[in-house]
Amino acid sequence: MRTTRVKVCCISSLDEALMAIESGADAIGLVSAMPSGPGVISEDLIRDIAASVPPPIATFLLTCQQSVREIVAQQQRCGTNTVQLCDRLLVGSYAELKAAMPGVAVVQVIHVNGPESVDEAAEIASQVDALLLDSGNQALPTRELGGTGRTHDWQLSAEIRRTAQAPIFLAGGLRAENVRAAISQVEPWGVDLCSGVRSNGRLDHSKLEVFMRECRSC
């Protein structure tokens, strides 16, 4: 039986990173400046955490930058082994981005808001290393690019998983109470969570352990 990977996002300190890894996380998410949402930390702290995380853990830089030049420069400052594009790439191509960051994985977020998201995912999937399906809204005056704590239509996510030619991470409102249903319905390669394992903004070891137990039992 295939094991679903787990990415714990909104990591705010090295202690949180190590707690997530010791609990079984395969990846951690480090959030740089965003127009909204939780978990933002400085690039200096992202660099320090990424440099301290042992292989083979994936370190994701979450960025809202939309040009190849700015994304590459930020990754070079932060030193993560993965870049998560939380908004659309507007300037430059995925091929240019990957060529400029050899050995760094590129994960594109698709904010699942309707059937058009299925088409968007299909167009992008073959150009990136993975897709991450989340519940933000880029059309709002203040863009939501993640960390909303909301679920979205998992039927659409399941359709993306069936049709897109890339591994799929499922995000958006996941917690111990619903992760088994989410995995059963969508069958993602991995799941991504933030608020579902936090109490008063801090990573909660007990919630994390329960989540991991539910996830691994699928």
Side-chain angles (χ1 to χ4, degrees), residues 110-114 117 133-136 152-153 156-157 160:
I110 303 293
H111 295 289
V112 181
N113 293 307
S117 301
L133 310 182
D134 207 349
S135 305
H152 56 262
D153 186 345
L156 291 173
S157 290
I160 291 172

Side-chain angles (χ1 to χ4, degrees):
M1 183 175 64
R2 182 180 62 83
T3 300
T4 304
R5 276 73 169 182
V6 177
K7 171 177 169 258
V8 179
C9 203
C10 304
I11 294 295
S12 66
S13 66
L14 180 56
D15 285 345
E16 284 199 353
L18 295 177
M19 182 193 303
I21 294 165
E22 289 167 2
S23 295
D26 303 286
I28 60 169
L30 305 164
V31 184
S32 67
M34 290 284 161
S36 65
V40 173
I41 57 176
S42 70
E43 290 187 2
D44 286 345
L45 183 52
I46 292 174
R47 182 194 63 232
D48 291 346
I49 294 172
S52 302
V53 170
I57 302 301
T59 53
F60 281 57
L61 166 65
L62 277 70
T63 180
C64 67
Q65 300 299 329
Q66 296 181 279
S67 79
V68 166
R69 181 179 61 82
E70 291 171 342
I71 294 164
V72 170
Q74 190 178 31
Q75 188 279 329
Q76 290 175 342
R77 293 193 299 269
C78 293
T80 60
N81 57 35
T82 305
V83 172
Q84 177 177 320
L85 308 183
C86 297
D87 210 340
R88 296 183 176 95
L89 183 64
L90 297 182
V91 181
S93 68
Y94 292 107
E96 291 171 332
L97 183 60
K98 291 177 70 64
M101 302 188 304
V104 176
V106 175
V107 177
Q108 176 65 59
V109 175
I110 303 293
H111 295 289
V112 181
N113 293 307
E116 64 277 7
S117 301
V118 179
D119 296 332
E120 181 182 6
E123 180 179 350
I124 292 170
S126 64
Q127 304 175 69
V128 296
D129 295 289
L131 298 174
L132 189 146
L133 310 182
D134 207 349
S135 305
N137 188 339
Q138 296 143 303
L140 295 176
T142 300
R143 292 171 296 157
E144 289 182 338
L145 301 180
T148 66
R150 299 192 305 264
T151 58
H152 56 262
D153 186 345
W154 291 341
Q155 290 185 350
L156 291 173
S157 290
E159 185 174 353
I160 291 172
R161 198 269 307 158
R162 287 191 297 269
T163 58
Q165 298 179 0
I168 298 296
F169 283 89
L170 180 64
L174 297 181
R175 55 191 187 278
E177 294 81 4
N178 67 5
V179 68
R180 294 181 69 177
I183 291 172
S184 175
Q185 182 168 344
V186 180
E187 298 182 358
W189 187 83
V191 294
D192 179 10
L193 67 155
C194 175
S195 59
V197 289
R198 293 186 171 270
S199 297
N200 300 318
R202 296 178 179 273
L203 193 61
D204 185 312
H205 184 266
S206 296
K207 287 184 177 181
L208 183 58
E209 289 292 316
V210 173
F211 182 92
M212 295 298 293
R213 186 163 59 247
E214 289 294 312
C215 187
R216 298 307 192 200
S217 68
C218 294

